[in-house]
Amino acid sequence: MDSSKKTEVVLLACGSFNPITNMHLRLFELAKDYLNATGEYKVIKGIISPVGDAYKKKGLISAHHRIIMAELATKNSHWVEVDTWESLQKEWVETVKVLRHHQEKLATGSRSHPQSSPVLERPGRKRKWADQKQDSSPQKPQEPKPTGVPRVKLLCGADLLESFSVPNLWKMEDITQIVANFGLICVTRAGSDAQKFIYESDVLWRHQSNIHLVTEWITNDISSTKIRRALRRGQSIRYLVPDLVQEYIEEHDLYNSESEDRNAGVTLAPLQRNTSEAKHNHSTR
C-alpha cells in the first residue's frame, strides 16, 4: 500500500511500570512490527504513561521514581517516549480519558500544523519529569503527509484484556469506548487465551475487528511483580530491566518489604469509584 494511504498510529501504554521492565519495552517493538507488517498502518510513536499515585495499588512507589525509571529505560529509543500528564493528575484518571487526552492533543497539533506530520519529536528527545511543559519553540516544516490525524491505540498485555471481567474494575461504557473508538493492540503472554476471552465477551466480540492480538513467539514472562519479589529477596534483576533502571533502583533502594506494604488494605481507586457509583445508581432507581 502507498505509504501516504496508511493510517498513522500512536501506541499508548498505560500502567504502573513499577518498575518498567524489558518486557514493557518489547511490547512496543512487537506491536510496531505487527502493525507495520499489515500494510495498513504506520506506527509513528510510542507513549509510556505511568499511572498516578492516586491509583493506590499495593506496593506502588511514587510516580516520581517510576517516571524517571521509564525515562532512563527509553533514553536511547528513537520513537518511544514517556508522558507525565496522567501521573501528574491529583486523582486517578480512567484509561479512556488518557486515550482521549492524547487523541485530542494529536488533533490539536494537526490543526496547528495542517501540512505537517504531527507531533513527532526529534529522535531521543524526551519530556522530563521536572519540565512537563508544552514545547513552544518553532517547529521545522516537515514533508506533508495526507494521512489525517494519527490514531491513538491502547497497547497492552493479555492480563489487561482479562481484567475487563473483574467486577467494578472497569465501567462497561469505558470498555466499549476503548475498543470502539480507539482499539487495542494486545500482546499475548505464554498460557494466555485472549481469543477465548474475546469470544466470551459480547462487547469485545462486537468490536473484534479493532482488537489486534499479537503473539509473542519468543516467550518472555518478565513481570514487575516478579522483579519486585527478586529485589525483596536480594536476588539479581540484571538483564530483566535496562541497566540504567537497575542502577537507579539500587541507588535509591526502591523496592523492599516496606515499599511492598505501601497502600496495603487500601481499596484500588477504580474499584472504590466504580463501586460507589454503582451503589448510587442503584439507590436512585
Side-chain angles (χ1 to χ4, degrees):
M1 181 184 289
D2 186 339
S3 62
S4 66
K5 296 179 181 178
K6 293 179 181 179
T7 300
E8 292 185 327
V9 171
V10 172
L11 297 171
L12 173 68
C14 298
S16 299
F17 300 101
N18 187 41
I20 192 167
T21 72
N22 287 341
M23 185 57 200
H24 288 131
L25 303 175
R26 282 292 298 158
L27 292 179
F28 282 94
E29 298 296 330
L30 290 162
K32 182 181 181 182
D33 284 348
Y34 172 88
L35 287 177
N36 287 349
T38 65
E40 299 177 18
Y41 302 100
K42 179 183 178 183
V43 176
I44 61 169
K45 181 160 66 171
I47 299 173
I48 292 173
S49 179
V51 73
D53 294 338
Y55 188 56
K56 299 297 183 184
K57 187 175 183 179
K58 184 178 181 294
L60 186 68
I61 68 168
S62 77
H64 171 77
H65 289 304
R66 290 182 287 112
I67 286 287
I68 291 175
M69 287 189 287
E71 288 180 340
L72 290 171
T74 56
K75 186 176 181 180
N76 296 321
S77 175
H78 294 286
W79 68 285
V80 180
E81 65 181 43
V82 182
D83 188 272
T84 64
W85 179 83
E86 180 183 2
S87 59
L88 288 172
Q89 305 307 304
K90 291 182 179 179
E91 295 186 353
W92 167 71
V93 183
E94 291 94 333
T95 299
V96 70
K97 291 182 180 177
V98 183
L99 284 160
R100 199 176 296 136
H101 165 78
H102 287 285
Q103 189 63 68
E104 290 172 354
K105 190 174 172 182
L106 286 168
T108 301
S110 179
R111 286 194 295 269
S112 300
H113 307 282
Q115 295 302 314
S116 301
S117 184
V119 209
L120 267 182
E121 299 186 14
R122 293 192 300 274
R125 187 175 177 188
K126 297 286 180 292
R127 293 186 180 277
K128 296 300 180 185
W129 170 259
D131 185 26
Q132 183 68 9
K133 297 179 180 179
Q134 292 293 332
D135 187 355
S136 58
S137 58
Q139 299 287 323
K140 291 184 178 180
Q142 300 177 14
E143 290 296 318
K145 290 185 180 180
T147 53
V149 180
R151 301 301 304 168
V152 177
K153 293 186 178 293
L154 183 64
L155 173 62
C156 66
D159 50 351
L160 183 140
L161 192 70
E162 292 167 4
S163 76
F164 285 164
S165 65
V166 177
N168 293 319
L169 188 60
W170 296 84
K171 294 179 185 174
M172 185 54 66
E173 56 264 35
D174 285 3
I175 296 174
T176 302
Q177 285 186 43
I178 288 170
V179 293
N181 300 340
F182 298 98
L184 287 176
I185 314 298
C186 178
V187 179
T188 60
R189 280 182 174 177
S192 165
D193 194 350
Q195 189 64 57
K196 182 173 182 286
F197 188 79
I198 292 172
Y199 167 75
E200 292 174 347
S201 165
D202 287 346
V203 172
L204 299 182
W205 181 262
R206 191 179 309 124
H207 300 286
Q208 61 179 306
S209 63
N210 211 16
I211 302 173
H212 300 269
L213 298 181
V214 183
T215 303
E216 166 60 297
W217 294 109
I218 305 173
T219 55
N220 185 338
D221 200 30
I222 299 172
S223 72
S224 297
T225 301
K226 292 176 180 177
I227 297 294
R228 297 196 306 276
R229 182 180 297 131
L231 288 165
R232 290 198 307 275
R233 297 174 181 179
Q235 299 171 337
S236 171
I237 59 168
R238 195 169 188 190
Y239 309 122
L240 300 177
V241 301
D243 289 345
L244 291 175
V245 172
Q246 180 192 358
E247 292 170 10
Y248 186 85
I249 289 172
E250 292 174 353
E251 179 185 349
H252 296 275
D253 188 25
L254 293 183
Y255 295 103
N256 47 49
S257 296
E258 185 179 333
S259 69
E260 195 64 23
D261 286 336
R262 187 176 184 184
N263 295 323
V266 178
T267 304
L268 204 63
L271 288 173
Q272 188 175 31
R273 183 180 298 177
N274 296 336
T275 301
S276 176
E277 289 182 5
K279 287 181 179 178
H280 175 75
N281 292 338
H282 181 74
S283 64
T284 55
R285 285 176 182 171

